[in-house]
Amino acid sequence: AYSDRRVKENIITIANALEKTLQLRGVFYNRTDKDDKSQKVGVIAQEMEEVLPQVVSASENGTKHVAYGNIIGTLIEAIKELKQEIEELKSKSCNCNCK
């Protein structure tokens, strides 16, 4: 993962990250193409592609892959949006002169 600012340009903060996050679905699943049938946790690439196409790629045979680490930026911004909403609600409730 290239995180160094020196190798990036056109840097834009993710807008509406909470809205995007709320469209994502975390799932439990079992793989059908592996001998390991233990339950896994993750997302469905086709669903993710509808919300964050930047994190989905496809192999030559068409199998879709998700770069899970690339989802983190959206989650960080969603948490910050929630924090701002919480702070706004707190300030409104504190200004009501209630005891």
Side-chain angles (χ1 to χ4, degrees):
Y2 296 98
S3 296
D4 194 310
R5 182 190 261 306
R6 295 173 293 178
V7 297
K8 298 179 180 183
E9 62 182 9
N10 303 321
I11 299 168
I12 302 167
T13 301
I14 299 166
N16 303 311
L18 180 57
E19 180 181 320
K20 288 176 178 50
T21 301
L22 292 173
Q23 294 177 56
L24 304 179
R25 180 172 73 119
V27 298
F28 293 111
Y29 63 92
N30 299 94
R31 296 275 302 252
T32 61
D33 62 338
K34 303 279 184 187
D35 290 335
D36 177 5
K37 299 300 180 193
S38 64
Q39 191 176 59
K40 310 287 188 230
V41 63
V43 297
I44 305 298
Q46 288 82 349
E47 294 176 6
M48 183 65 64
E49 193 170 34
E50 293 176 14
V51 182
L52 291 171
Q54 302 89 336
V55 304
V56 179
S57 61
S59 60
E60 288 183 14
N61 70 2
T63 303
K64 307 249 177 174
H65 307 274
V66 174
Y68 282 87
N70 294 346
I71 300 168
I72 292 174
T74 302
L75 300 178
I76 289 169
E77 291 304 313
I79 291 168
K80 289 163 59 176
E81 287 178 19
L82 280 174
K83 171 83 167 131
Q84 182 178 354
E85 286 182 22
I86 290 167
E87 293 302 321
E88 289 172 7
L89 288 170
K90 280 182 180 179
S91 69
K92 286 179 184 177
S93 68
C94 291
N95 292 333
C96 69
N97 294 324
C98 55
K99 296 184 182 193

